[in-house]
């Protein structure tokens, strides 16, 4: 607040002098300790930051592990496809040999049917490995970036024999 004082004096040196004193002041009420709110809010913000950083690190690690797993699956799929392609080729040769033996009279029809079954089994195994390989490629692509329609079309075209 402010105040004003008027004083009048009559002295031999200053006859009929008057003085006016004006004063203005500011009063502030600042608590020295406000109950710990600021300290608690800071502590909570730090804890939230640490939790968020931990969650980010966990998700980053999970993505890296998934990416490595899918990459190994794709590499394994390539090797398996090559192996099953060789198995199919070998079963074709075996079937041709068994059919030739049937025509010459050294083999029976049951042996031809067994050779056909083994060829179809090898083809089925090859198809399953190709399918797993394509799924692995999609998973790897999905783990490293967003899948696009082009990625799906590429896989669909690979599924057509």
């Amino acid at each position: 607040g402010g105040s004003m004082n008027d004083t009048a004096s009559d002295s031999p040196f200053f006859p009929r002098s008057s003085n006016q004193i004006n004063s203005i002041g500011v009063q502030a009420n600042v608590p020295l300790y406000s109950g710990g709110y600021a300290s608690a809010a800071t502590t909570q913000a730090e804890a939230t930051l640490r939790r968020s950083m931990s969650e980010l690190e966990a998700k980053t690690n999970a993505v890296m592990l998934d990416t490595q797993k899918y990459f190994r699956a794709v590499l394994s799929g390539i090797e398996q496809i090559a192996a099953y392609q060789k198995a199919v080729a070998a079963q074709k040769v075996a079937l041709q040999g068994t059919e030739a033996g049937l025509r010459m009279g050294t083999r029976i029809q049951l042996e031809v049917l067994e050779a056909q079954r083994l060829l179809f089994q090898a083809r089925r195994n090859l198809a399953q490995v190709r399918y797993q390989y394509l799924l692995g490629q999609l998973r790897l692509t999905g783990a490293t970036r967003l899948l696009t329609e082009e990625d799906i079309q590429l896989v669909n075209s690979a599924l057509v024999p």
Side-chain angles (χ1 to χ4, degrees):
S3 64
M4 186 170 97
N5 290 331
D6 281 327
T7 57
S9 65
D10 203 13
S11 71
F13 298 108
F14 300 104
R16 299 197 136 220
S17 66
S18 81
N19 294 324
Q20 185 176 14
I21 301 172
N22 294 322
S23 69
I24 296 177
V26 176
Q27 181 179 0
N29 185 5
V30 178
L32 294 177
Y33 185 71
S34 62
Y37 174 76
S39 175
T42 301
T43 302
Q44 182 179 358
E46 289 171 347
T48 301
L49 175 63
R50 282 193 301 274
R51 186 184 78 235
S52 296
M53 294 296 284
S54 293
E55 289 173 359
L56 175 63
E57 185 177 347
K59 287 180 181 182
T60 300
N61 288 339
V63 167
M64 288 178 68
L65 287 174
D66 285 346
T67 302
Q68 290 171 351
K69 178 176 68 175
Y70 299 143
F71 181 73
R72 283 191 299 271
V74 166
L75 290 180
S76 174
I78 292 169
E79 293 171 359
Q80 288 179 339
I81 288 171
Y84 280 109
Q85 285 173 334
K86 289 178 183 176
V88 167
Q91 289 303 324
K92 281 182 183 178
V93 170
L95 176 60
Q96 290 170 350
T98 306
E99 287 173 337
L102 178 66
R103 285 191 300 274
M104 298 170 121
T106 59
R107 299 285 182 170
I108 60 172
Q109 185 64 38
L110 184 61
E111 291 174 308
V112 172
L113 292 175
E114 179 62 16
Q116 287 176 341
R117 185 186 70 77
L118 292 173
L119 176 59
F120 288 122
Q121 184 179 13
R123 286 180 175 162
R124 184 201 66 212
N125 292 342
L126 176 59
Q128 286 176 335
V129 168
R130 281 184 175 158
Y131 176 75
Q132 291 302 319
Y133 167 76
L134 292 172
L135 280 179
Q137 276 190 318
L138 283 176
R139 288 179 179 135
L140 178 61
T141 303
T144 56
R145 65 177 173 86
L146 291 177
L147 289 173
T148 64
E149 188 175 332
E150 183 180 327
D151 295 322
I152 304 300
Q153 289 173 351
L154 188 66
V155 169
N156 282 340
S157 67
L159 289 174
V160 177

